[in-house]
Amino acid sequence: ELQEAGQQQQHADKASQAADEGSPPPRALQLSLSVGKTNVLLRNLLRTPILELEASKINLGLSQEACGVRRCFAYLTTSLWSYNQSLEVWEPILEPWQLLLHADTNPNPTASAGIAPGTWLKVTSPHGCMHATLAQAALSHALDALDDWRDLEPGSPTSSAAAKRRAGLAATDGLTVSTTVLNTLDSAAYMQLDYGEGRKEVVVLPPHTSTPLTQPIPVPAISHAPLTDGQPPPMRLVVDVLGGPLLAGLAGASWAPELSVQIKFVGTRAKQLAPELAQQTQGMVTRAVSVQASPARGSQAPATAQAELAVEQGQHVQWNQRFVVALPTQLAEQLLMPAPGDNPWELAPLQLQLEVWDGSGERGL
């Protein structure tokens, strides 16, 4: 029986070998795929963009030789962008960079088609240098979003608060969110809410108190928009109001001054060229800072009135607030690419006037 089974196996092997000899040799296989552009967008719980990975001009290819060697390649242009929430602009982390990836596999024990046995990977780029920038704003926004995502994990002590934020987004179709704002100042603060279409509200935030409110969600650009030829990049003017020492003799009536700084856009010609600047700077004012004062020397007051107060010399007042103004496109173009003789801003300088006000006595200083 064993001898008969062996003879049958030999006959089967011979028949299979004859069939292989009569069949045509394996053919080479070639596949290719081209994609125009694809984007991967990362957003936080408030649907504000954080990061965007873009891949464009994608070409993929796969080929198989008759000897079994497989060749794969991918050619694409990739870039990585971060959204700066403070400036409301997209900033590049990785500027557009062209990549060429090769992956070759040879299953044979010897070299075939110029490929050694095994799998070989190779990454090349026609660009001589890769330009990458990691800004502090991009890193901080990503870490803030990471904390929110951790809150969504089951069993997290703050998962219920995160669930409430998501419920607020779903209930209002993503236009507003129910939240709380904590005022850590020693005085009341005012927060303007812009719901769009001319609807604005001002909410008073008591000191050291969390105030619940319905806050509108900004609608930023969903994706970074490539600039057209000749269009300047967006430019922002940053105004930092820090502080400084006060001069002696700053007198009130019978109260301590509460100082704030108001920023105004001045210039009739400039306002005509850029009315949006006047609208941006409207209401730009710092918080009020109370100044310590003592009775002025030699001041005399009736018995029914309080003595006049004066500010101590060298006393420092600190606001430490930042304001951001978006410059119009026409002005940004002239700053980057000056055109003498064709510059409407040549005789209309951009001027910002800073005024210090005493809110306690309703008088300007």
Side-chain angles (χ1 to χ4, degrees):
E1 293 179 356
L2 292 176
Q3 184 178 3
E4 183 179 358
Q7 292 177 354
Q8 292 179 356
Q9 181 65 33
Q10 290 178 0
H11 289 304
D13 293 341
K14 291 181 180 179
S16 176
Q17 183 178 1
D20 292 340
E21 292 177 354
S23 60
R27 298 179 179 178
L29 175 65
Q30 292 185 355
L31 297 176
S32 62
L33 174 65
S34 298
V35 180
K37 184 174 67 173
T38 182
N39 299 70
V40 178
L41 182 65
L42 183 65
R43 300 189 297 184
N44 61 12
L45 291 180
L46 298 181
R47 302 178 183 177
T48 302
I50 302 175
L51 297 173
E52 182 186 25
L53 176 63
E54 179 183 272
S56 60
K57 302 177 182 179
I58 306 173
N59 293 311
L60 306 176
L62 171 64
S63 64
Q64 180 175 348
E65 304 293 340
C67 59
V69 173
R70 292 187 179 91
R71 301 175 184 270
C72 303
F73 79 91
Y75 181 77
L76 72 157
T77 300
T78 183
S79 61
L80 182 62
W81 302 77
S82 66
Y83 183 74
N84 192 320
Q85 301 180 21
S86 301
L87 301 180
E88 298 182 351
V89 295
W90 286 92
E91 298 176 335
I93 296 179
L94 174 63
E95 297 186 10
W97 190 36
Q98 293 181 350
L99 288 175
L100 180 59
L101 298 92
H102 292 272
D104 300 332
T105 302
N106 181 9
N108 303 319
T110 59
S112 301
I115 304 299
T119 301
W120 302 87
L121 300 177
K122 184 179 180 181
V123 180
T124 59
S125 174
H127 291 172
C129 182
M130 179 182 68
H131 298 276
T133 304
L134 183 58
Q136 186 270 343
L139 186 60
S140 62
H141 294 161
L143 294 178
D144 292 342
L146 181 61
D147 293 337
D148 290 339
W149 291 327
R150 287 176 177 173
D151 293 342
L152 295 178
E153 297 179 359
S156 173
T158 56
S159 60
S160 59
K164 290 180 180 179
R165 288 198 297 269
R166 288 192 301 170
L169 289 173
T172 57
D173 195 21
L175 299 179
T176 58
V177 59
S178 299
T179 184
T180 58
V181 177
L182 173 62
N183 180 12
T184 60
L185 303 177
D186 295 330
S187 59
Y190 300 88
M191 183 175 182
Q192 185 182 62
L193 306 178
D194 188 356
Y195 295 93
E197 298 181 355
R199 178 192 170 192
K200 296 182 180 180
E201 296 182 4
V202 177
V203 179
V204 181
L205 306 176
H208 301 287
T209 305
S210 295
T211 304
L213 50 85
T214 301
Q215 184 177 357
I217 299 178
V219 185
I222 298 301
S223 176
H224 79 277
L227 298 175
T228 58
D229 294 338
Q231 180 181 357
M235 299 185 64
R236 301 292 186 267
L237 177 64
V238 179
V239 181
D240 289 331
V241 182
L242 302 180
L246 296 177
L247 299 178
L250 180 62
S254 58
W255 55 78
E258 295 180 358
L259 303 182
S260 60
V261 177
Q262 184 177 4
I263 302 175
K264 294 182 178 180
F265 177 50
V266 297
T268 304
R269 176 60 178 168
K271 290 182 179 179
Q272 294 176 352
L273 293 174
E276 63 273 17
L277 284 181
Q279 184 177 3
Q280 288 187 59
T281 56
Q282 185 178 4
M284 276 192 176
V285 60
T286 65
R287 67 181 185 274
V289 177
S290 299
V291 179
Q292 297 181 0
S294 57
R297 296 180 180 179
S299 61
Q300 297 179 356
T304 57
Q306 298 181 3
E308 185 179 274
L309 300 179
V311 175
E312 299 178 2
Q313 184 177 5
Q315 184 179 166
H316 281 73
V317 177
Q318 299 291 333
W319 290 281
N320 294 332
Q321 289 187 244
R322 167 170 290 184
F323 300 92
V324 180
V325 180
L327 299 183
T329 303
Q330 189 178 22
L331 177 57
E333 181 179 4
Q334 292 295 335
L335 292 175
L336 294 177
M337 298 171 290
D342 189 23
N343 183 6
W345 290 87
E346 187 173 359
L347 300 178
L350 178 62
Q351 297 180 2
L352 294 178
Q353 179 175 313
L354 276 66
E355 299 178 351
V356 180
W357 284 82
D358 177 13
S360 62
E362 297 183 357
R363 51 176 293 198
L365 302 177

